[in-house]
Amino acid sequence: MSRRVLITGLGVAAPNAIGVNQFDQALRNGTSGIKYYQNLKDLNFSCQIGGKPPVTQEMINNYFNPLQQKGLNSSGLIYGVMAGVDAWKDAMLPISSEEEPDWNSGIIFGTGILGVDKFREAIHLIDAGKTRRLGSTSVIQTMASGISAYLGGMLGCGNQVTTNSSACTTGSEAIIMGYDRIISGKAERMLVGSCGDDGPYVWGGFDAMRILPGKYNDNLEKASRPMSATASGFVPGSGAGALLLESLDSALERGANIYAEVLGGAINSGGQRAGGSMTAANNEAVQRCIKDAITIAGIKTEDIDYINGHLTATTRDATEIKNWTSALGLSGVYFPKINSLKGMTGHCLSASGSIESVASILQIKNQYVFGNINCEDIHTDITALIDDSCIPKKTMDYDINIAAKASFGFGDVNAVTIFKRYKK
């Protein structure tokens, strides 16, 4: 009998809420986490808004001791630790101080750019000949695997502990990688997720590419407009999401709370061929990824009740919907309900897949679909493909059995994960 993989813990640090219960409420209310940042204006950014989790010093004190806080200057690491530890605790797993590691628990926690502010701090010290003042934590704060190493030590995990990195696909890829490890019998529990830094040194490159909206600095809550005819680019965001994946046997033995089940997923690349590029997806690859995920999950296209799209508020939104209709063979009123979290949070880059997966799972668990904000004027290229009713503008109670979560990343990389309402 094949193993089943369940989700028994969640953690999130998103621009519009920190903590699962607060995040669930923010989703239902359509709460925006987009804020104006004066330093972006001072640095001559066109887009002077963004999404950062509202972290307080009190929160940091709950996750890091005074020694760990000394020289701590990596926003992505902070968000990742908060989400990861919360997911572990939410799964009712102990944080043991025993010498013996937990051999059956591992971590795959991804990131795109980690510790960029710490890098800047270190570069200035080194250039000034003050290398000895770097401190002992500069390496772990700036190496890509710093987040998984940090969590691995805090939680005592003895299985695989690693970091993946695949741009905006990172979080969804981590989930599929963790799922594969449990399915193969190599682990019983995997803490999976992703995080990302924020601020001018991360967001500056995107501003230079002119793919961020520059005309909403005075109307910031309306700036992130997925599927809208007036979308003018994605608002940059940051944060972290985390999921505790667990084998059915382990979860039942512990009497764990179960949010949902992972049926599987697919990962591929368009090879930057046939219209695919560093910044645009190969449409055939996207469609293949969707179809492969459905096949691996053992479901039919018409079984999908809800889609959490990648949908970044760019000109690619209509193309993404076209790829979904082609891959599913469903259109008009027969298309599933679809929404995008990015209207509330902006595009959280490497953290987006995990944060949006947490949002997807909460909707499955609590049987609702959150309303898309800022898409009152849905693009006509989209309404030509699917009915307006498939894009809810307000939160609605909804029976979700199976949900699909998509992430399509910089570099022409794709991931689609299939989640299911848990039934014994």
Side-chain angles (χ1 to χ4, degrees):
M1 183 177 179
S2 63
R3 286 159 65 90
R4 294 170 65 184
V5 177
L6 308 179
I7 299 154
T8 57
L10 296 174
V12 65
N16 61 343
I18 295 174
V20 172
N21 293 334
Q22 294 85 343
F23 186 54
D24 182 60
Q25 198 60 51
L27 296 178
R28 294 174 185 268
N29 294 340
T31 303
S32 173
I34 308 300
K35 299 286 187 291
Y36 175 80
Y37 295 99
Q38 181 65 39
N39 68 324
L40 298 181
K41 180 180 181 179
D42 295 341
L43 292 168
N44 297 317
F45 273 57
S46 295
C47 178
Q48 298 159 11
I49 58 177
K52 299 182 182 182
V55 175
T56 65
Q57 183 60 48
E58 183 180 1
M59 292 177 184
I60 292 175
N61 293 341
N62 290 333
Y63 295 88
F64 299 89
N65 62 40
L67 183 61
Q68 291 171 326
Q69 289 185 44
K70 188 175 182 181
L72 183 61
N73 191 19
S74 173
S75 55
L77 181 71
I78 292 170
Y79 306 146
V81 166
M82 292 174 69
V85 170
D86 280 358
W88 187 269
K89 290 181 176 178
D90 189 42
M92 299 182 294
L93 290 168
I95 298 179
S96 176
S97 59
E98 296 179 5
E99 287 298 314
E100 188 78 3
D102 179 353
W103 303 114
N104 291 316
S105 295
I107 299 172
I108 301 176
F109 215 98
T111 189
I113 298 174
L114 190 70
V116 67
D117 287 323
K118 192 66 180 179
F119 259 124
R120 179 177 182 271
E121 177 187 309
I123 288 167
H124 282 291
L125 286 171
I126 291 169
D127 286 347
K130 300 176 181 178
T131 305
R132 292 180 182 275
R133 289 182 55 189
L134 285 178
S136 60
T137 65
S138 61
V139 173
I140 196 168
Q141 288 189 61
T142 55
M143 67 182 189
S145 60
I147 179 59
S148 57
Y150 218 104
L151 285 168
M154 293 178 85
L155 304 175
C157 295
N159 207 280
Q160 182 184 25
V161 174
T162 191
T163 292
N164 67 306
S165 185
S166 54
C168 315
T169 307
T170 300
S172 295
E173 181 183 74
I175 294 169
I176 296 169
M177 292 170 69
Y179 166 88
D180 286 342
R181 191 158 183 85
I182 294 174
I183 282 292
S184 67
K186 295 177 181 178
E188 293 299 323
R189 293 167 295 276
M190 294 295 296
L191 177 64
V192 299
S194 62
C195 63
D197 278 20
D198 51 44
Y201 305 108
V202 177
W203 298 343
F206 299 107
D207 197 71
M209 292 170 69
R210 299 183 181 180
I211 55 177
L212 309 185
K215 61 182 182 180
Y216 287 95
N217 295 327
D218 297 324
N219 193 17
L220 46 90
E221 290 194 0
K222 296 294 184 181
S224 185
R225 309 181 62 80
M227 295 183 282
S228 167
T230 50
S232 59
F234 72 80
V235 175
S238 60
L243 299 77
L244 198 292
L245 307 185
E246 187 164 5
S247 71
L248 175 65
D249 288 346
S250 175
L252 293 180
E253 182 180 348
R254 294 194 309 111
N257 174 51
I258 298 169
Y259 283 97
E261 182 172 359
V262 184
L263 293 185
I267 304 166
N268 75 2
S269 170
Q272 300 177 42
R273 301 289 191 275
S277 68
M278 191 65 73
T279 57
N282 174 333
N283 294 326
E284 181 185 353
V286 170
Q287 293 173 33
R288 279 175 172 265
C289 193
I290 295 168
K291 291 176 181 178
D292 288 348
I294 289 168
T295 299
I296 290 167
I299 62 172
K300 300 176 182 177
T301 58
E302 57 267 30
D303 293 333
I304 297 175
D305 303 300
Y306 159 72
I307 297 169
N308 185 286
H310 189 59
L311 298 168
T312 59
T314 65
T315 56
R316 295 290 300 179
D317 287 2
T319 303
E320 180 178 335
I321 299 296
K322 179 67 168 66
N323 284 328
W324 278 106
T325 59
S326 297
L328 299 180
L330 300 171
S331 60
V333 297
Y334 301 103
F335 193 79
K337 292 287 188 289
I338 187 166
N339 59 19
S340 173
L341 180 64
K342 294 179 178 72
M344 299 182 225
T345 63
H347 188 350
C348 295
L349 304 172
S350 57
S352 62
S354 57
I355 293 174
E356 292 163 14
S357 290
V358 172
S360 302
I361 292 155
L362 287 172
Q363 289 171 94
I364 295 171
K365 178 68 172 177
N366 297 321
Q367 294 292 285
Y368 71 93
V369 172
F370 67 75
N372 291 280
I373 69 171
N374 300 332
C375 71
E376 301 83 4
D377 57 337
I378 300 172
H379 201 292
T380 54
D381 288 349
I382 293 176
T383 53
L385 296 166
I386 63 175
D387 193 77
D388 182 272
S389 64
C390 301
I391 307 171
K393 314 303 185 300
K394 295 182 179 180
T395 298
M396 57 186 290
D397 293 334
Y398 196 68
D399 185 12
I400 303 175
N401 186 44
I402 293 178
K405 167 67 200 132
S407 294
F408 307 122
F410 199 89
D412 199 8
V413 291
N414 312 301
V416 176
T417 313
I418 307 296
F419 301 115
K420 184 178 185 293
R421 187 177 185 181
Y422 173 67
K423 296 174 183 176
K424 294 182 180 179

